[in-house]
Amino acid sequence: MRKPLPETGTAWEDLKVKMADYASGDIRWREGKTAVYVFNAGPEVERVQKEAYALFMSENGLGPAAFPSLKRMEAEVVGFGLGLLHGPEGAAGSITSGGTDSITMAIKTARDYARKVKGLSGELNIVLPRSAHPAFDKAAAIMEIEVRRTPVKDYLADPAAIAAAADDKTIMIVGSAPSFPYGLIDPIAALSDLAVARDLWLHVDACVGGYIAPFVRMNGADIPPFDFELAGVRSMSADLHKYGYCAKGASTVFFRSAELYQHMVFDFDVWPAGRMTTPTLSGTRPGGATSAAWAVMNFLGVAGYRDKQGQVVAAREKLQAGAEALGFTIIGRPQLGILSYTHTEVDCLAIWTKMRERGWFSSMGTAPRAMHMMISPFHLQVADAYLADLAWALGEVKGPAATVAAEARYS
Ligand SMILES: *Cc1c(COP(=O)(O)O)cnc(C)c1O
């Protein structure tokens, strides 16, 4: 039912009330009720995000000459990311609107590099594990690039399968750190060796891991090499709006060198309004996304991130132990903030439906059917309540009141 634009305006105070009413059916994320979509680092970080966003909300990153402030903030944020991910001297990157944008731009860059530097033409392809994010397929669909998805082995990318699928038209191979479905870090070192041996472009999708793994490692965990310290890694994606706890609309895409980066930039002069140079997919670039990212990163610093990511790991370990105690099986050996667990006797999608009745919202796995959580620092405070409801849900599903399984879709 279409509502026309109101003939007259409404007072902001009244609109605020209306919006709160619209939000009444939304998931109660501030109470820790969702383990997907929102990364809840607590009210202090939320305040910094909001106020920093508002300060530069009207400014436009499309115009670095007009807004040297945003240019400077972007350069500093990119520098922070490259510093955390072992970017070598000369490495370069940009802030993008999100992980999908970062991945799209990495593929575009790899494609243009393949065409211009390696002389490739015709039907090009990218090779990725089954567990890689759909953003690769979306970007490939737009650019008419073939996607070859290879089977996973023990829930991880299989370098041998990727090696077998790659050929002389392959412009990129992919590993995730970690993958979204399983939350596990693919064997990036082996993929890097393959990339070096065959001169392939390895992209590491660290959208959900790039801003947590370095701090979990600093906290003492044995995180394997997954970033630019491996010679075969040419590009990476890392989302600021996930475990960077920045406002939404902010990710980073990185390249090993400025020579590679230059293939991303779109430089255009054939229209009657002068030369326009844009690094990413966007024209207009929201200043607020950049200023909020800059502010949150400076607000937290290494110590703040180590603390928040320590809470994520503590919450994950608690949930993991609790789920195991209830008879669930953890998928692989998670080290970061994603936890996926399955059950041999009950249907996890039925469990998911029951948990939904108690207000919990998470994503799910389909191969195997599994519960899936992206854990936030705030979840440490509600882990016990979650586990109590999980025990209840298990009892319901095992008992005669079992419900029909939900469908695995999010939209
Ligand atoms: C979230 C995610 C993406 C896509 O990021 P968006 O910001 O949602 O576009 C890509 N890869 C992985 C592993 C992710 O977790």
Side-chain angles (χ1 to χ4, degrees):
M1 205 182 16
R2 194 159 63 194
K3 271 191 186 178
L5 177 67
E7 287 301 329
T8 56
T10 303
W12 170 227
E13 288 308 319
D14 298 336
L15 291 174
K16 270 201 277 192
V17 173
K18 224 170 174 175
M19 287 165 100
D21 180 51
Y22 275 30
S24 62
D26 287 358
I27 207 79
R28 300 195 176 278
W29 66 267
R30 286 186 185 82
E31 295 167 25
K33 287 290 195 176
T34 181
V36 61
Y37 302 130
V38 179
F39 291 77
N40 184 356
E44 267 201 314
V45 172
E46 192 194 350
R47 178 169 159 232
V48 174
Q49 276 184 3
K50 246 182 206 166
E51 293 187 9
Y53 199 105
L55 282 176
F56 286 85
M57 196 182 59
S58 304
E59 281 74 1
N60 188 343
L62 175 61
F67 304 111
S69 54
L70 291 175
K71 185 180 172 185
R72 185 172 172 186
M73 285 188 264
E74 179 177 14
E76 291 185 15
V77 166
V78 165
F80 297 158
L82 284 171
L84 291 168
L85 298 171
H86 297 102
E89 199 58 42
S94 286
I95 291 183
T96 70
S97 65
T100 301
D101 190 350
S102 290
I103 287 166
T104 302
M105 295 320 294
I107 296 174
K108 184 265 182 203
T109 308
R111 184 201 61 183
D112 287 5
Y113 169 86
R115 282 178 179 164
K116 288 182 198 147
V117 179
K118 296 185 79 181
L120 264 58
S121 60
E123 282 260 312
L124 305 175
N125 68 73
I126 57 176
V127 181
L128 32 144
R130 261 193 87 72
S131 53
H133 196 275
F136 289 95
D137 300 70
K138 184 194 266 189
I142 294 167
M143 288 182 262
E144 298 191 20
I145 290 166
E146 180 195 350
V147 179
R148 298 180 179 173
R149 282 193 177 243
T150 59
V152 289
K153 202 168 146 185
D154 299 329
Y155 307 116
L156 299 171
D158 178 4
I162 289 177
D167 59 20
D168 58 3
K169 298 284 189 189
T170 299
I171 60 164
M172 176 184 277
I173 61 171
V174 174
S176 308
S179 71
F180 178 89
Y182 305 125
L184 307 173
I185 301 174
D186 284 333
I188 307 296
L191 292 173
S192 171
D193 290 346
L194 168 66
V196 170
R198 291 188 36 196
D199 189 24
L200 291 163
W201 180 302
L202 171 60
H203 178 85
V204 174
D205 180 14
C207 274
V208 71
Y211 291 104
I212 181 170
F215 301 107
V216 172
R217 182 188 278 150
M218 286 178 210
N219 285 344
D222 184 21
I223 305 290
F226 68 95
D227 59 24
F228 289 113
E229 76 177 293
L230 298 168
V233 178
R234 288 195 197 160
S235 58
M236 293 187 73
S237 42
D239 289 352
L240 295 161
H241 61 202
K242 287 181 181 157
Y243 285 106
Y245 307 118
C246 301
K248 286 196 178 51
S251 170
T252 38
V253 61
F254 300 120
F255 300 90
R256 173 168 288 280
S257 68
E259 290 74 53
L260 300 181
Y261 175 92
Q262 70 175 358
H263 296 286
M264 178 168 78
V265 177
F266 192 74
D267 191 347
F268 189 81
D269 200 12
V270 193
W271 75 322
R275 184 173 169 194
M276 195 192 259
T277 308
T278 48
T280 63
L281 203 55
S282 309
T284 293
R285 302 173 82 199
T290 294
S291 59
W294 183 90
V296 168
M297 292 184 102
N298 280 291
F299 178 72
L300 288 174
V302 171
Y305 276 112
R306 283 184 63 171
D307 183 47
K308 296 289 178 203
Q309 314 307 30
Q311 291 170 28
V312 170
V313 168
R316 198 246 306 136
E317 285 171 347
K318 193 168 189 176
L319 291 163
Q320 191 171 338
E324 271 179 321
L326 289 171
F328 289 92
T329 307
I330 307 301
I331 293 191
R333 197 174 70 85
Q335 294 183 288
L336 302 173
I338 291 180
L339 176 66
S340 184
Y341 57 92
T342 183
H343 202 288
T344 46
E345 286 152 40
V346 301
D347 183 351
C348 280
L349 297 192
I351 299 271
W352 188 93
T353 308
K354 282 285 157 198
M355 292 299 276
R356 191 83 178 78
E357 281 177 26
R358 290 269 166 112
W360 299 100
F361 199 101
S362 68
S363 37
M364 56 188 109
T366 56
R369 286 192 172 210
M371 297 290 286
H372 180 281
M373 307 179 82
M374 280 199 287
I375 293 157
S376 293
F378 193 83
H379 286 127
L380 194 51
Q381 296 176 45
V382 297
D384 286 326
Y386 178 89
L387 289 170
D389 283 342
L390 187 61
W392 164 81
L394 188 61
E396 290 284 300
V397 168
K398 272 184 170 166
T403 51
V404 178
E407 190 192 359
R409 64 178 282 141
Y410 314 114
S411 55

